[in-house]
Amino acid sequence: MATRRRQYAVAASGQWTDEEDGRRRRLPAGEVHAWEPGRNETVCGLSLSRSQLARFSHVPWADAIPESGGAADRVQRLCHRCAAVAGRRGTDASPRWQRTDPRP
């Protein structure tokens, strides 16, 4: 049985507009959190509306990581709780640790 890999998008406290190649793209800025599109809360449990976080469904979580260089130009802080769940590394990194033979 294959497990479905969750696809996380970005929710951020701020936004900025990048004008590259004549196109305007809305990108995250400030503090960023991971969230699953279709849900009203971040992975760490913050309510999107009460926390006044903007949704960026077109920006994958891996692109918000500052080391990725993707859409992370103005990201100031990654939520450490979201990074623990969604992963701090890019998509080409090895899979997260998982217990395969738990104790009885």
Side-chain angles (χ1 to χ4, degrees):
M1 181 173 141
T3 60
R4 185 179 84 92
R5 187 169 175 95
R6 293 184 180 206
Q7 297 295 320
Y8 296 106
V10 175
S13 61
Q15 66 182 4
W16 68 287
T17 305
D18 182 25
E19 295 187 27
E20 185 175 302
D21 299 329
R23 294 179 17 205
R24 296 178 71 178
R25 282 184 53 193
R26 199 172 59 91
L27 296 172
E31 182 175 341
V32 296
H33 296 267
W35 73 285
E36 289 182 81
R39 304 213 38 176
N40 290 324
E41 65 182 10
T42 63
V43 174
C44 66
L46 290 177
S47 168
L48 292 173
S49 61
R50 287 186 184 190
S51 302
Q52 296 180 344
L53 296 173
R55 298 169 177 96
F56 298 89
S57 59
H58 61 283
V59 178
W61 172 253
D63 284 352
I65 299 171
E67 296 86 32
S68 74
D73 291 343
R74 302 216 179 143
V75 170
Q76 295 174 351
R77 182 181 176 282
L78 281 180
C79 171
H80 66 277
R81 292 180 291 183
C82 289
V85 174
R88 175 133 175 101
R89 300 169 291 173
T91 56
D92 59 339
S94 60
R96 294 176 43 201
W97 180 86
Q98 183 178 9
R99 184 182 302 274
T100 56
D101 188 20
R103 298 186 320 195

